Amino acid sequence: MTAIRLDGAAVARGIYSQLKARVAALGRRNVRPGLAALRVGDDPASTIYLRNKVRACNEVGIRSEVHALAADCPPERLLAMLDKFNRDPGVHGILVQLPLPKHWDPALAAGAVAPEKDVDGFTWRSLGALLAGHPLFEPCTPAGVVSLLEHAGVAIDGREAVVVGRSAIVGKPMALLLMARGATVTVCHSRTPDLEGHTRRADILVVAAGRPKLVSAGMVKPGAAVVDVGIHRLPDGKLAGDVDFAAVQEVAGWITPVPGGVGPMTVAMLIANTVQAAERQADSR
Ligand code: NDP
């Protein structure tokens, strides 16, 4: 069996063409959606991710501005900029590109973005709302995974899902989104004994561990949908994920490539959330 490839880039293009119509409708109400993005430090991966996000904004007609702060700046600089964006009516969505400096209190930025502008769904308020079953904005990467599965017609309701990884931005919200759609979800992490015993049960396997080739063909149930969130730059310069793609595609029913799977969907969800934020803010004027 060779798995069906879940082409995130193609699905994202379809989402953009629908979003363009919504941006045009906002334009008729004299609203141009605006996204303000901030990064701290010069992590090369963050720079690339932001460039892709700006390109996607341009594609659908969203105004974007990117601000970079020095790695050694005091956290108050970030808070002051977030406060300015929170009050700026031309900024509908705010993105704080992670990672932030490790020594900063993680609650700091997560508490400083206005919930109605938290298009990345990363603030603790947004995560709490998701946990309570009333999401404000779904976190972009897990929302992108669900959207990709739904576009491919992969059934979620009543299926067995396993998520490898329990981070606050991917693993935990991923589990919540799958549970909300009727899956029975197991979350595995670095302290899970017998990882394979869990992954082999999964109809839907989402891997977000940040470990290249963690998942081999023997760990996958034949016919499963395998979604690889991981991104790694290999020594030869190529990108790869957490799943041994070449081997697993012979066992799985569906599989995401890296690059071109979850990455483009993450960006598409950010853009969709920004358009939604602009619509909500225009409606409440
Ligand atoms: P984190 O490092 O925050 O979390 C990794 C998780 O994986 C942890 O819960 C960790 O367990 C678990 N883990 C690590 N090693 C193992 C193992 N051997 N077996 C089982 N579980 C393990 O990473 P993120 O969640 O932020 O990101 C995960 C990956 O996804 C990274 O490669 C990242 O670059 C990528 N990513 C891709 C995005 C995209 O758009 N495609 C967006 C965001 C992230 P424990 O908690 O016990 O330490």
Side-chain angles (χ1 to χ4, degrees):
M1 174 197 306
T2 300
I4 297 168
R5 197 181 270 237
L6 297 171
D7 185 344
V11 175
R13 278 195 296 278
I15 291 171
Y16 292 144
S17 68
Q18 289 171 8
L19 289 174
K20 276 182 199 167
R22 286 164 61 185
V23 171
L26 280 165
R28 290 191 286 278
R29 299 165 71 187
N30 292 322
V31 175
R32 180 162 187 215
L35 175 72
L38 266 167
R39 73 180 156 85
V40 183
D42 50 11
D43 175 44
S46 296
T47 310
I48 295 170
Y49 295 151
L50 278 178
R51 199 184 304 148
N52 292 341
K53 288 166 186 175
V54 167
R55 197 177 295 147
C57 284
N58 292 339
E59 155 129 23
V60 301
I62 292 175
R63 185 187 68 79
S64 62
E65 49 184 291
V66 176
H67 302 263
L69 297 176
D72 59 356
C73 80
E76 290 72 26
R77 284 286 307 283
L78 177 76
L79 297 184
M81 294 197 80
L82 292 177
D83 182 52
K84 182 164 115 11
F85 297 146
N86 283 341
R87 287 184 284 107
D88 182 345
V91 171
H92 302 94
I94 300 172
L95 166 70
V96 179
Q97 184 68 48
L98 301 176
L100 291 173
K102 284 195 169 43
H103 59 280
W104 285 15
D105 175 359
L108 211 71
V113 174
E116 68 274 15
K117 297 190 179 186
D118 179 21
V119 287
D120 210 19
F122 94 112
T123 67
W124 291 2
R125 179 137 173 211
S126 294
L127 290 172
L130 180 66
L131 182 66
H134 301 284
L136 304 166
F137 294 103
E138 292 185 335
C140 298
T141 299
V145 171
V146 166
S147 174
L148 198 50
L149 292 170
E150 288 176 345
H151 268 89
V154 175
I156 300 176
D157 193 3
R159 309 315 295 272
E160 190 87 36
V162 172
V163 178
V164 183
R166 57 173 165 177
S167 73
I169 60 163
V170 187
K172 283 179 196 160
M174 185 75 252
L176 291 173
L177 293 193
L178 290 168
M179 204 192 310
R181 285 160 178 81
T184 301
V185 185
T186 303
V187 179
C188 301
H189 46 77
S190 71
R191 310 289 299 147
T192 302
D194 189 19
L195 179 64
E196 184 176 334
H198 294 283
T199 59
R200 280 191 62 83
R201 281 199 332 266
D203 300 309
I204 298 168
L205 175 60
V206 182
V207 191
R211 298 280 179 273
K213 292 200 176 176
L214 175 69
V215 171
S216 59
M219 296 169 72
V220 172
K221 177 176 175 178
V226 179
V227 180
D228 190 351
V229 179
I231 311 177
H232 310 280
R233 178 78 59 186
L234 300 178
D236 64 4
K238 290 190 179 140
L239 290 177
D242 290 352
V243 173
D244 181 350
F245 182 88
V248 171
Q249 71 171 342
E250 300 302 328
V251 180
W254 296 266
I255 190 167
T256 60
V258 178
V262 175
M265 291 302 294
T266 297
V267 179
M269 294 301 108
L270 175 76
I271 301 303
N273 281 350
T274 304
V275 172
Q276 192 178 25
E279 288 169 345
R280 285 181 189 163
Q281 287 162 47
D283 289 347
S284 66
R285 272 195 310 206

